[in-house]
Amino acid sequence: MIIQDREYVFEIGEKTYHCAMDVTMDYIGGKWKTVVLWYLKNKTLRFGELKKQIPDITEKMLSIQLKALEEDGLVKREVYPEVPLRVEYSLTEFGKTLEPVLDAIAKWGRSQGETRGQLREVK
């Protein structure tokens, strides 16, 4: 990014980012990450419960997204040694720092849906 005619980058760990938006999108970019984070925003969910909330995502893609979000420190995966095995996902404290961003994205999307389209019940 250019600040007062000088070029700067953000360096976080081993990664270099050319601007603040680049940092944000590295964490939440793509079609599904924000959706997964949205459903984990207010409660802990099991894999099947998350899948039910996001019917268009495949199990493989949900698994990939959860793994990426966990690696980035946004989502916590907790395994309970029961039979059958129980695994729950929730936002970490770091993940919760994204709540205002998620709220803003949802508010904008809701506004577009209401002004440019219509809400329709799925039967």
Side-chain angles (χ1 to χ4, degrees):
M1 71 195 117
I2 306 297
I3 302 172
Q4 297 178 349
D5 294 326
R6 296 177 79 175
E7 185 175 357
Y8 294 87
V9 296
F10 284 112
E11 292 179 351
I12 301 174
E14 308 245 338
K15 295 184 179 181
T16 301
Y17 301 94
H18 72 276
C19 69
M21 187 62 76
D22 191 23
V23 174
T24 305
M25 295 313 293
D26 187 43
Y27 282 95
I28 66 169
K31 182 174 181 177
W32 298 112
K33 284 184 179 178
T34 51
V35 177
V36 171
L37 291 168
W38 178 259
Y39 286 110
L40 292 176
K41 188 174 86 120
N42 295 315
K43 60 183 169 183
T44 299
L45 293 171
R46 295 174 72 172
F47 186 91
E49 294 170 323
L50 256 175
K51 176 69 178 95
K52 192 177 288 186
Q53 292 288 325
I54 316 168
D56 291 342
I57 193 171
T58 64
E59 287 187 10
K60 180 178 180 178
M61 182 55 67
L62 179 56
S63 179
I64 290 168
Q65 297 305 303
L66 285 166
K67 204 167 285 184
L69 290 165
E70 184 182 6
E71 286 173 5
D72 287 339
L74 298 171
V75 168
K76 175 183 170 190
R77 179 180 187 264
E78 191 156 356
V79 180
Y80 296 90
E82 303 171 350
V83 177
L85 196 65
R86 181 169 52 114
V87 180
E88 295 182 339
Y89 297 91
S90 59
L91 291 186
T92 62
E93 288 304 311
F94 179 51
K96 289 177 184 178
T97 65
L98 279 169
E99 287 181 11
V101 175
L102 297 171
D103 289 339
I105 291 169
K107 182 179 179 183
W108 186 86
R110 199 173 302 110
S111 171
Q112 296 310 303
E114 291 169 355
T115 59
R116 301 175 68 134
Q118 63 181 0
L119 186 62
R120 177 181 59 82
E121 184 180 357
V122 178
K123 296 177 184 183

